[in-house]
Every structure is written in structure tokens, then in C-alpha cells.
Amino acid sequence: MIIKKAEYIISGTKALHIPDLKVPEFVFMGRSNVGKSSLLNAITNRKNLAYTSSKPGKTITLNFYNVNDEILLVDVPGYGYAQRLVHDRLNYGKMIEDYLEKSKYLKVCFLVVDSRHVPTEDDCLMYKYLQSFDYKIVVIATKIDKISKNELNKNINVIRKKLEMTQEDLLIPVSSEKKIGVEKIHLLLESYLN
């Protein structure tokens, strides 16, 4: 996939804020600090399209990015950030649920996990929750450049087991920094065009 254009369009807190581009949408969810912003920047081949921060919990809205006027990438607030107030966490949950229920063009939910760690209880709950919808779910394991190949193979098996994934369920190991695995995501996005 050749990225000719990638731009931030709008942030919102409700489904009515979804831009009506009538193009396939792809949502990225995961724990705070799992590398979603870096992943979005790697996918779009832009350094600062999605704001990255060393502090977790910076994304507090649904953020919409137009790519090539052909697809819409959606970044949602990370979950599991302990220092967020309970009512904030509930509001983020409602915001995400509203989006998942009302988006007309959502095709794939990408669940982003850290390849270095066992999925958390929140990751498992989110995976199960996404299964209650009709969307394709793809797990992306980030930060694979930070561990050895042996560790990665072992951890991929642990992630699959912990999330109770089947052999058919897709898991893509990715390094945003080294762009490993990004082409596989591009091919998946492209498969929904036309």
C-alpha cells in the first residue's frame, strides 16, 4: 500500500462525530502505553500523525485519520491506566461501545498488545468483548524488536493461549520502529478496498 496522504481529521466522543467519508474503517484499541500511536505512525509512514507520549493515558477521545481518501483509521483511548478516575474510565468505555455499535463502515478491530508481556485481564476482557460484535478481530503484538526471536516465538504462543485464540485467528507481530509487520497490515487494509 502506497501512502500518498495521511491526515488527522477530527476527534470526538460520540458516534455522531464519526466523519461520513463512506470508506472502510479500522479501529485500534489496547492498553495505555502499548504503542498504538507509534503503530499508527508506522502504518501511515508519518512521524507525528498520532501523538506519542512517554506518559500513558494521553488519548482521551476517538481520533480519526484519513488515509489516501480510501480508509479511516480510528484510535481510541487506551484502557487499564490505573491513574485515570473511575468515571473517566467508564466514559471511555461508553465512548468505545457507542462507536462499535454505531459505525456503519467499521471492518476490522485491531487489538494491540505488547509482545513482551502476557496479556492482562483487561486485554482478555476486551478480546472477549470484541467477539460479541460481527467485526473481524486482528491481534497486533508490538515492540518485537525489544526481544529475541526465541522469546518472541514463546511469547506469541503465550498471547494466543491467554486470549484463547484459535489457529485461524490472525496475530501480526510488529515493530513500529523497524517497520517489521507493517506490510502485512497494509495488505489487510488493502483487501477491504473496492
Side-chain angles (χ1 to χ4, degrees), residues 23-186:
V23 296
E25 293 170 23
F26 304 88
V27 68
F28 292 79
M29 4 183 86
R31 279 184 302 114
S32 295
N33 226 21
V34 78
K36 280 190 294 120
S37 297
S38 296
L39 175 64
L40 286 164
N41 289 336
I43 291 168
T44 57
N45 204 23
R46 298 289 184 276
K47 275 196 172 136
N48 299 307
L49 184 69
Y51 179 70
T52 57
S53 171
S54 55
K55 285 186 177 177
K58 284 292 179 192
T59 303
I60 57 170
T61 54
L62 304 171
N63 297 323
F64 297 92
Y65 302 95
N66 170 19
V67 178
N68 292 349
D69 296 323
E70 294 177 315
I71 61 173
L72 198 61
L73 304 182
V74 186
D75 185 17
V76 303
Y79 52 80
Y81 181 45
Q83 290 177 323
R84 280 204 170 125
L85 298 173
V86 173
H87 78 85
D88 284 344
R89 291 201 299 259
L90 289 172
N91 284 341
Y92 298 152
K94 284 180 195 151
M95 193 189 328
I96 293 165
E97 183 178 20
D98 190 43
Y99 171 71
L100 291 173
E101 286 178 352
K102 294 179 182 156
S103 169
K104 294 178 193 162
Y105 302 103
L106 180 57
K107 301 299 178 192
V108 179
C109 296
F110 288 103
L111 179 65
V112 185
V113 298
D114 190 325
S115 67
R116 301 169 300 174
H117 306 296
V118 176
T120 64
E121 203 50 49
D122 286 331
D123 292 324
C124 297
L125 286 169
M126 182 57 81
Y127 192 70
K128 281 267 182 282
Y129 174 63
L130 291 174
Q131 289 175 322
S132 67
F133 294 91
D134 241 359
Y135 306 118
K136 180 173 181 64
I137 306 165
V138 176
V139 175
I140 295 179
T142 58
K143 307 184 184 185
I144 64 168
D145 53 300
K146 312 277 190 225
I147 54 176
S148 71
K149 279 212 165 92
N150 282 345
E151 265 185 297
L152 177 62
N153 291 332
K154 189 183 79 172
N155 291 4
I156 292 298
N157 289 329
V158 169
I159 291 166
R160 283 188 162 281
K161 192 173 178 185
K162 183 78 177 171
L163 294 177
E164 297 177 13
M165 297 175 73
T166 67
Q167 281 309 112
E168 290 75 43
D169 293 330
L170 188 56
L171 186 151
I172 304 174
V174 170
S175 163
S176 300
E177 208 171 285
K178 297 190 175 173
K179 302 278 176 81
I180 301 165
V182 171
E183 189 55 39
K184 284 185 181 171
I185 298 170
H186 282 172

